[in-house]
């Protein structure tokens, strides 16, 4: 293989696996698969999002959004696995703050001061506040035993959220895609400890794309999330990472770079047309997409970002961990294959042992992210769970972020979209156009804008910050937010008194409904 730091251009053409790359699996009776899938779903009930975990996380998110608005007059949006509803009980909450470009560091310092001042001042128990002063600035903290990562201007995170939610709806089958992500993420995190870009392992977004590839190529042959897990481990455990790159529609031989001429057709459920439309909707107009298709950096794991083709999602995997991942996949596939050779009820408890760490941590009547008792695993009962995300809300926030950073919305209005949604966007923007400002804590404005404005190992499954910087956006208009002149100092981080004229309405500005499910 070429040097791992080499960069090669990428085009949209994709290839499928050759016959030598197709995993060889032992046939398993359909009845056994159905029984095993039922038990896998019971295991999923113990680890997937549920009503109490949703309520607890939403309370934390609402608290932070209100706090940031009242203290600084800034908007905070969700992205990642929490709004997608694919998080584990130990998963963190990913938030991004919209701020004018160049003001990220000032905003991060002010935010850190406010969070540090919150310790012991409210029921939300803010602890472990850290400021990661790196190229991508992140504030880390813990609230109610849930880890939070707060980044700045991560529009690519909002873009990826829209994309993955649309993919899940396209696959359907009772959220087969999301349930597969949760089950595979649980195996990677609890059973194998191979999840986390900050540890030189695989990122959660890269994992989602690997799952997408498996479901897309095997859609008609998988019976459920357990079958997807089996194919996932079997396929990637024997995958030729030195010679092939993973894409959402198949494989690309690295030898064909830069032109990718060695391609073959492969039957997939979601074709290239679907993904081209996603790029146009969630990345940029065609001319911007073409401009961003620069060079793809070859690493030990090569996974093409479906929304930005110059981004290698496998870049976080170190050489040593690449070997470790392959070994874990192979061993996991063999163990699961052995489990599925047992008859009847034996498969059930063997499968429980296969997910022993996951159930030991989350199946005994308590969850990491919930203070109240939950229904234990094995009772035949399950807490209510709804994996359907708010796609329209995600897309409106994504569009609002585009507008905030000065982009024209003419190219972002999809044909056939309900006009009432865009009336909401128009109202949302107009409401803040002359209101959004950076406030001091006495209710006044420090600077008005014409637009909305010792390292400990962190808890959580790890945050993936996509590579989509400021340079990806073009055509800045004259309405670009003005520069913020000042931010509150540490001495100003006391609790503010609510001014009835400036106090933020706690209703969701997009729906005018109480913010129960942001």
């Amino acid at each position: 293989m070429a040097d791992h730091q080499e960069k090669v251009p990428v085009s949209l053409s994709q290839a499928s696996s050759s016959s030598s790359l197709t995993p060889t699996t032992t046939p398993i009776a359909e009845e056994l698969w159905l029984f095993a899938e039922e038990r896998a779903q019971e295991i999923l009930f113990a680890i997937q999002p549920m009503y109490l975990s949703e309520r607890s996380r939403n309370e934390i998110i609402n608290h932070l959004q209100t706090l940031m608005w009242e203290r600084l007059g800034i908007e905070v949006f969700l992205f990642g696995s929490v709004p997608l509803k694919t998080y584990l009980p130990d998963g963190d909450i990913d938030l991004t703050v919209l701020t004018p470009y160049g003001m990220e560091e000032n905003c991060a310092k002010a935010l850190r001061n406010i969070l540090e001042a919150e310790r012991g001042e409210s029921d939300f128990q803010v602890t472990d506040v850290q400021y990661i002063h790196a190229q991508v600035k992140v504030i880390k903290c813990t609230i109610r035993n849930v880890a939070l990562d707060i980044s700045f201007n991560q529009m690519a995170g909002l873009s990826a959220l829209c994309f993955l939610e649309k993919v899940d709806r396209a696959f359907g089958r009772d959220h087969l895609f999301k349930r597969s992500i949760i089950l595979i993420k649980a195996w990677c995190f609890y059973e194998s400890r191979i999840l986390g870009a900050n540890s030189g392992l695989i990122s959660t977004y890269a994992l989602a794309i690997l799952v997408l590839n498996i479901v897309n190529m095997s859609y008609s042959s998988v019976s459920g999330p357990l079958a997807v897990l089996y194919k996932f481990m079997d396929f990637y455990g024997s995958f030729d990472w030195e010679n092939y790159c993973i894409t959402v529609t198949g494989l690309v031989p690295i030898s064909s770079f830069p032109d990718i001429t060695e391609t073959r057709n492969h039957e997939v459920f979601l074709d290239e047309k679907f993904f081209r439309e996603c790029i146009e909707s969630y990345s940029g107009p065609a001319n911007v997409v073409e401009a961003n298709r620069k060079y793809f950096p070859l690493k030990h794991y090569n996974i093409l970002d479906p929304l930005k083709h110059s981004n290698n999602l496998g870049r976080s995997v170190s050489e040593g961990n690449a070997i470790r991942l392959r070994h874990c996949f192979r061993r996991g596939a063999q163990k699961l294959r052995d489990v599925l050779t047992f008859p009847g009820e034996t498969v059930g408890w063997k499968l429980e042992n296969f997910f022993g760490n996951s159930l030991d941590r989350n199946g005994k009547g308590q969850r990491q992210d919930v203070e109240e008792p939950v229904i234990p695993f094995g009772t035949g009962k399950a807490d209510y769970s709804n994996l359907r995300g708010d796609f329209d809300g995600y897309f409106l926030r994504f569009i609002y972020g585009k507008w905030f950073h000065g982009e024209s919305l003419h190219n972002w209005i999809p044909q056939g979209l309900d006009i009432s949604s865009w009336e909401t966007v128009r109202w949302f923007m107009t409401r803040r156009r002359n209101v959004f400002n950076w406030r001091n804590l006495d209710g006044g404005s420090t600077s008005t804008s014409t637009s909305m404005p010792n390292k400990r190992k962190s808890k959580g499954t790890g945050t993936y910050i996509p590579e989509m910087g400021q340079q990806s956006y073009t055509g800045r208009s004259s309405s670009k937010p003005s520069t913020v002149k000042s931010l509150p100092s540490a001495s100003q981080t006391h609790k503010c008194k609510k001014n009835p004229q400036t106090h933020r309405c706690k209703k969701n500005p997009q729906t005018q409904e109480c913010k129960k499910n942001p």
Side-chain angles (χ1 to χ4, degrees), residues 106-294:
N106 289 351
C107 183
K109 291 178 179 178
L111 179 55
R112 177 191 59 188
N113 292 335
I114 288 174
L115 291 175
E116 288 177 342
E118 276 287 294
R119 286 186 286 194
E121 294 296 323
S122 71
D123 296 332
F124 285 88
Q125 309 162 14
V126 180
T127 60
D128 302 327
V129 180
Q130 304 175 59
Y131 173 32
I132 309 300
H133 189 271
Q135 181 178 3
V136 177
K137 295 169 178 58
V138 178
I139 297 290
K140 291 179 175 288
C141 66
T142 301
I143 299 180
R144 289 183 175 176
N145 211 33
V146 177
L148 288 91
D149 282 5
I150 308 174
S151 56
F152 302 86
N153 294 327
Q154 287 302 329
M155 289 300 301
L158 301 177
S159 172
L161 172 61
C162 294
F163 169 68
L164 294 177
E165 182 67 34
K166 181 168 184 175
V167 167
D168 178 69
R169 295 192 179 191
F171 281 134
R173 292 175 60 182
D174 191 23
H175 304 287
L176 171 67
F177 179 53
K178 288 187 180 182
R179 290 186 294 133
S180 298
I181 290 177
I182 297 169
L183 192 66
I184 293 173
K185 187 186 290 187
W187 178 81
C188 289
F189 185 69
Y190 294 119
E191 311 304 329
S192 300
R193 297 295 178 181
I194 57 174
L195 189 64
N198 55 354
S199 301
L201 297 164
I202 195 167
S203 71
T204 53
Y205 184 42
L207 182 73
I209 299 306
L210 293 180
V211 175
L212 197 169
N213 176 55
I214 294 295
V215 177
N216 203 27
M217 291 195 300
S218 309
Y219 184 79
S220 61
S221 63
V222 291
S223 55
L226 186 64
V228 176
L229 170 62
Y230 184 33
K231 285 181 175 288
F232 177 94
M233 295 186 297
D234 195 27
F235 184 78
Y236 294 120
S238 58
F239 183 71
D240 187 358
W241 290 102
E242 286 74 21
N243 294 306
Y244 287 86
C245 172
I246 293 290
T247 78
V248 290
T249 55
L251 313 180
V252 171
I254 291 175
S255 61
S256 66
F257 286 94
D259 298 324
I260 313 183
T261 56
E262 299 179 19
T263 60
R264 298 182 183 179
N265 294 326
H266 186 84
E267 184 178 351
V268 291
F269 184 77
L270 303 177
D271 58 16
E272 289 189 9
K273 181 177 181 293
F274 173 88
F275 293 109
R276 281 197 301 270
E277 292 173 350
C278 287
I279 291 175
E280 293 172 0
S281 298
Y282 313 129
S283 291
N287 59 332
V288 177
V289 174
E290 292 297 327
N292 285 339
R293 195 179 302 157
K294 299 175 182 177

Side-chain angles (χ1 to χ4, degrees), residues 375-388:
I375 297 176
F377 173 79
T379 61
K381 301 178 181 179
D383 287 290
Y384 174 74
S385 180
N386 180 11
L387 300 184
R388 184 177 178 85

